[in-house]
Amino acid sequence: MTNPPLPRHVAIIMDGNGRWAKQHKIRIALGHRQGVETLRAIIRESSDLGIEALSLYAFSTENWRRSPDEVEALMGLLLEFFTSEIDELDQKNVCIRILGDKEGMPEKQREALYNAEARTGKNTGLKLNIALNYGGRAELVRAARILAEKAVRGEIRPDEIDEAALADALYTKGLPDVDLLIRTSGEMRLSNFLLFQCAYAEFEFPETLWPDFSLEDYHKALETFASRDRRFGGRKA
Ligand code: IPE
Ligand code: IPE
Ligand code: MG
């Protein structure tokens, strides 16, 4: 088992499904399908470990650039996931929140997302954030607009806009900053994920492709995190 301190907020960029499919000489859609199996296991484990918040990057605002076939396969899997998992997640007291622009999602998926949030909104267990049609820059632009509109309505003065006010205008309102960011498949970049929230995150870049990412790999990442010396700009005695 993993030793404390556990990260309060883990963010994961689930990358490598395409390369996994290529390795196995199967269709990309099947790589994504296998990726969903990893996702199920990681959510369950995070809930069992008592991690407070888990944010998973499932579909970026840039992922619409992929072929219509691949986008369709991903949207199909998404619907399937929410239909098949919602009962168990609700039972496990998981609180689901979608990060990203739900209005830009196809109708059926949009309904499933609103339904999942409404049904689990009062749950007090793992805070599970799924980033869909999400971009970190788009999120910051949206926050700027929310604050500007408040200012125009006279609800906030420009000099009252501080880091806390900006954080409250993000999709992650009320959640702690990201402590640990994991990106699988060896890529070392953020790809527009949680730009504001990762300011002091610890980063881990395991080589494993997402469909192969095991609970053992997850525990290893959590253990490495526990051994990191986090200074937040200060100096330890
Ligand atoms: C991540 O796997 C899943 C999504 C972006 C939806 P990729 O599909 O990006 O996998 P690679 O990077 O092509 O291997
Ligand atoms: C980031 O992965 C998005 C998700 C995992 C959903 P990508 O595979 O889309 O990122 P790039 O294109 O390699 O930066
Ligand atoms: Mg990728």
Side-chain angles (χ1 to χ4, degrees):
M1 247 324 135
T2 308
N3 291 322
L6 271 180
R8 285 181 71 190
H9 188 171
V10 177
I12 306 184
I13 302 177
M14 310 181 287
D15 201 11
N17 295 349
R19 276 161 284 169
W20 188 89
K22 208 168 179 188
Q23 252 180 22
H24 290 260
K25 299 190 168 57
I26 54 177
R27 285 182 295 124
I28 283 188
L30 295 174
H32 291 310
R33 183 171 284 282
Q34 197 58 39
V36 175
E37 294 307 315
T38 304
L39 172 114
R40 281 201 178 97
I42 295 296
I43 293 173
R44 214 171 291 142
E45 185 66 4
S46 304
S47 164
D48 291 349
L49 286 171
I51 283 172
E52 184 177 333
L54 174 67
S55 296
L56 301 168
Y57 206 4
F59 194 88
S60 73
T61 45
E62 288 76 34
N63 286 146
W64 297 109
R65 294 181 189 151
R66 297 192 179 190
S67 74
D69 273 3
E70 185 174 355
V71 170
E72 198 178 317
L74 283 164
M75 291 299 141
L77 280 169
L78 178 71
L79 201 57
E80 212 179 297
F81 174 81
F82 276 96
T83 317
S84 66
E85 298 303 297
I86 188 76
D87 285 341
E88 189 188 330
L89 292 173
D90 192 21
Q91 241 161 31
K92 276 192 165 284
N93 200 21
V94 171
C95 176
I96 299 172
R97 188 191 299 197
I98 305 303
L99 315 180
D101 181 15
K102 292 190 285 282
E103 291 308 310
M105 296 292 284
E107 195 182 337
K108 272 192 194 151
Q109 282 73 6
R110 189 167 65 227
E111 271 173 24
L113 300 177
Y114 277 115
N115 174 47
E117 284 186 324
R119 184 160 159 198
T120 66
K122 292 206 167 62
N123 288 348
T124 54
L126 172 71
K127 292 172 180 128
L128 174 63
N129 309 308
I130 305 194
L132 285 163
N133 196 18
Y134 173 88
R137 286 184 171 181
E139 181 184 35
L140 288 165
V141 168
R142 176 177 172 273
R145 283 195 186 140
I146 290 173
L147 293 170
E149 279 160 12
K150 272 192 172 176
V152 167
R153 288 197 301 267
E155 291 167 18
I156 193 169
R157 289 196 319 269
D159 66 346
E160 286 173 330
I161 298 176
D162 55 9
E163 291 185 14
L166 184 59
D168 273 357
L170 299 174
Y171 292 117
T172 47
K173 177 183 163 83
L175 298 173
D177 279 351
V178 173
D179 295 304
L180 169 63
L181 177 112
I182 302 170
R183 181 174 189 149
T184 56
S185 86
E187 306 291 358
M188 298 184 193
R189 55 178 173 266
L190 272 177
S191 299
N192 208 7
F193 193 40
L194 300 176
L195 300 179
F196 182 89
Q197 299 88 337
C198 281
Y200 264 102
E202 297 291 329
F203 287 58
E204 301 218 18
F205 300 107
E207 292 288 330
T208 321
L209 303 175
W210 179 248
D212 287 330
F213 190 70
S214 64
L215 293 186
E216 205 185 327
D217 294 324
Y218 190 32
H219 290 153
K220 219 182 286 167
L222 293 170
E223 270 156 33
T224 308
F225 170 83
S227 69
R228 295 270 178 93
D229 181 15
R230 302 183 82 196
R231 289 184 290 274
F232 300 98
R235 207 183 284 292
K236 283 232 169 108

